[in-house]
Every structure is written in C-alpha cells, then in structure tokens.
C-alpha cells in the first residue's frame, strides 16, 4: 500500500492550491485520513482530518481557508487551500489508515509535497 501526495508548488499570498493524495495497492478501504505539515525546524502538525464517514476537523490556523475531502471510489483524499499565507509554507504529508485486502490495518504516510507561499 502506498500514498502519493501531489499538487504542491509556489504560490503568492492569497492564492490557492489543491493537494491530492492517491492511495494504491491492495486496498480494501481507506478509513480515517488527514493532512499534516512540517515547516523547517518545526514538528509535524495535523492540518485537517476526515473520518471514514466524512466528519472533518481542522487546525484553528486553517479553519475557513482549507477544505479536506475524499473520493472513496478513487481512493483519493484532497486538500483545497485558499487564501494562502506565508506561514502556510511547509512540506505537506498525507496520512491514512488503510485496511488491506489481507485484513491488515496500515497507518500509511505519503512522501510529502512542498508548499511555498511568497509574500
């Protein structure tokens, strides 16, 4: 099972980016999922999460600007980021609890995608 994050890049403050996280492999179901970010010299923090039944939660710093969503038919998780600020600059990682076809529950991480917001 693998997670592949994409969609990062360089954007000016006030701009938008959409991150995508694709799960592949022997997947039975993608359960809870989330996006984390880690700035240089900082710890990795949870940005947004979405449960298997669609309940969402956000860090206070991104509420009203970021939206997490999922497409279970495609095994995809998304993070729409609007009104970006320089302090959003970080490497963004997706995480998901995945039930494999072999009935193993895996805690999977993607490799991360860089988001840089210029002022």
């Amino acid at each position: 099972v693998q997670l592949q994050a994409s969609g990062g890049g360089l954007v000016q403050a006030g701009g938008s980016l959409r991150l995508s996280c694709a799960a592949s492999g022997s997947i039975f179901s993608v359960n809870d999922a989330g996006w984390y970010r880690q700035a240089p010299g900082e710890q990795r923090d949870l940005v947004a999460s979405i449960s298997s039944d669609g309940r969402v939660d956000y860090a206070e710093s991104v509420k009203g600007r970021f939206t997490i969503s999922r497409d279970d038919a495609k095994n995809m998780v998304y993070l729409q980021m609007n009104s970006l600020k320089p302090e959003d600059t970080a490497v963004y990682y997706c995480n998901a609890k995945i039930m494999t076809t072999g009935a193993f529950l895996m805690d999977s991480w993607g490799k991360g995608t860089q988001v840089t917001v210029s002022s």
Side-chain angles (χ1 to χ4, degrees):
V1 172
Q2 289 186 328
L3 291 180
Q4 180 67 50
S6 61
L10 173 64
V11 64
Q12 288 188 332
S16 298
L17 284 174
R18 188 194 194 206
L19 304 185
S20 298
C21 179
S24 62
S26 301
I27 298 169
F28 177 77
S29 64
V30 177
N31 297 344
D32 296 349
W35 286 94
Y36 291 73
R37 67 186 180 188
Q38 187 169 21
E42 302 289 333
Q43 65 181 16
R44 189 176 297 187
D45 292 323
L46 178 65
V47 175
S49 63
I50 185 166
S51 67
S52 55
D53 60 358
R55 286 173 290 119
V56 299
D57 195 16
Y58 298 95
E60 283 296 327
S61 60
V62 306
K63 280 185 178 178
R65 300 188 297 123
F66 290 11
T67 302
I68 189 171
S69 60
R70 60 191 295 156
D71 184 338
D72 290 335
K74 297 180 180 179
N75 290 330
M76 297 288 295
V77 180
Y78 305 98
L79 186 68
Q80 178 67 43
M81 305 187 295
N82 298 329
S83 302
L84 282 161
K85 303 176 181 180
E87 51 263 45
D88 294 319
T89 295
V91 177
Y92 283 70
Y93 299 88
C94 61
N95 168 263
K97 311 300 189 287
I98 296 175
M99 180 64 72
T100 70
T101 54
F104 292 102
L105 185 62
M106 296 184 64
D107 187 3
S108 299
W109 288 89
K111 286 187 176 180
T113 184
Q114 176 70 47
V115 172
T116 303
V117 185
S118 63
S119 57

